[in-house]
Amino acid sequence: MNTGEPATGSGDVLWLREEPPRPPRRSTPLTLERIIDAAIAELDAHGAERLTMRKLAERLEVTSTALYWHVSTKRDLLDLALDHAVGEAPLPAPDLDPRSGLRAVLLGWRAAMLAHPWLPGLLGRPLLGPNVLARTEFIQAMLVRSGLSGVDLAAATRLLANFVLGAAMADATWRQFDDPAVFARARAHILGLGERYPTLSTSGFADGEWSDDELFGLGLDRVLDQLLSAS
């Protein structure tokens, strides 16, 4: 049983295994859905580094052995929790115009990730779960409707996915501090180096004048404007 930390270098990926999941014993009251819900609650409270199968079993009031009838490793559990959390943001209606559909799905994807502070830290894992793939399928369907195909479609898909994932990771990193004093010191540090960073220190970026949500929304609009105008 592997209860190690969520390493990102392993080639063993839940979604790519050929063997079917082990069926639960009839006597267990657990379901995989209950385990994932409890894992997300544990992750929200304590983060991925402190999640163990033992602590999860305690939350569910079962033995650790009972968990392994449903999920083989902690790494698998993290993959399942990540995909489930991404799925909390509903997919937009498929009949939206491409720009509105893309904007809605990417805003929802980012919001779902930021709702769970531990989630962006797992983005080094392969994103192949059904909820992630459903959103990637939606993005590609909108892009195809806008006229993209071939390498342009592949590049646009990667651009949008990287934009939302990178923004969520950066925003989540700063939100971990959640302390105005930290931001004040960061601003003072940048302003104190004005001669070295003349644009950065005077552009308003260091002032925190705009929220993360505003900056992401505006940046997304600019990306979509350029991307769809070229299709």
Side-chain angles (χ1 to χ4, degrees), residues 1-10 12 43 47-54 68 71-79 122 125:
M1 295 182 293
N2 182 355
T3 58
E5 298 303 322
T8 61
S10 174
D12 182 33
L43 287 163
E49 297 297 321
R50 297 179 60 185
L51 176 69
T52 66
M53 300 299 263
R54 179 183 60 81
Y68 287 105
V71 59
S72 298
T73 66
K74 174 183 172 179
R75 188 173 299 151
D76 288 357
L77 182 61
L78 291 171
D79 283 344
L122 300 183
R125 297 287 296 159

Side-chain angles (χ1 to χ4, degrees), residues 42-183:
E42 187 73 18
L43 287 163
D44 286 346
H46 304 294
E49 297 297 321
R50 297 179 60 185
L51 176 69
T52 66
M53 300 299 263
R54 179 183 60 81
K55 290 181 180 178
L56 180 59
E58 291 175 356
R59 178 180 283 269
L60 288 163
E61 298 182 341
V62 298
T63 65
S64 297
T65 302
L67 296 178
Y68 287 105
W69 285 98
H70 297 267
V71 59
S72 298
T73 66
K74 174 183 172 179
R75 188 173 299 151
D76 288 357
L77 182 61
L78 291 171
D79 283 344
L80 289 164
L82 183 156
D83 192 66
H84 185 86
V86 168
E88 291 177 1
L91 282 170
D95 57 352
L96 284 175
D97 66 272
R99 192 184 192 286
S100 298
L102 288 167
R103 194 176 196 278
V105 73
L106 293 169
L107 286 172
W109 195 342
R110 172 179 174 270
M113 288 191 290
L114 292 180
H116 302 286
W118 50 271
L119 198 158
L122 300 183
L123 294 180
R125 297 287 296 159
L127 302 180
L128 295 172
N131 287 317
V132 171
L133 291 183
R135 278 142 189 81
T136 307
E137 166 67 21
F138 183 91
I139 289 170
Q140 285 218 333
M142 294 292 106
L143 291 171
V144 167
R145 282 178 51 193
S146 71
L148 294 179
S149 62
V151 67
D152 291 328
L153 173 62
T157 303
R158 178 166 294 189
L159 171 65
L160 293 176
N162 288 347
F163 182 76
V164 69
L165 296 176
M169 184 177 291
D171 292 345
T173 298
W174 277 106
R175 291 185 183 189
Q176 288 178 6
F177 296 104
D178 194 24
D179 183 354
V182 173
F183 294 100

Side-chain angles (χ1 to χ4, degrees), residues 17-35:
R17 290 194 204 125
E18 294 183 2
E19 71 269 17
R22 286 180 291 179
R25 292 185 299 181
R26 292 182 180 179
S27 59
T28 179
L30 287 178
T31 64
L32 184 58
E33 183 177 1
R34 279 190 61 209
I35 293 172

Side-chain angles (χ1 to χ4, degrees), residues 174 179-180 182-192 194 197-212 214-215:
W174 277 106
D179 183 354
V182 173
F183 294 100
R185 290 198 298 272
R187 179 178 182 274
H189 175 74
I190 293 172
L191 295 181
Y197 309 115
T199 306
L200 181 60
S201 62
T202 58
S203 67
F205 179 81
D207 296 333
E209 182 177 350
W210 308 285
S211 69
D212 293 339
E214 289 176 309
L215 292 175

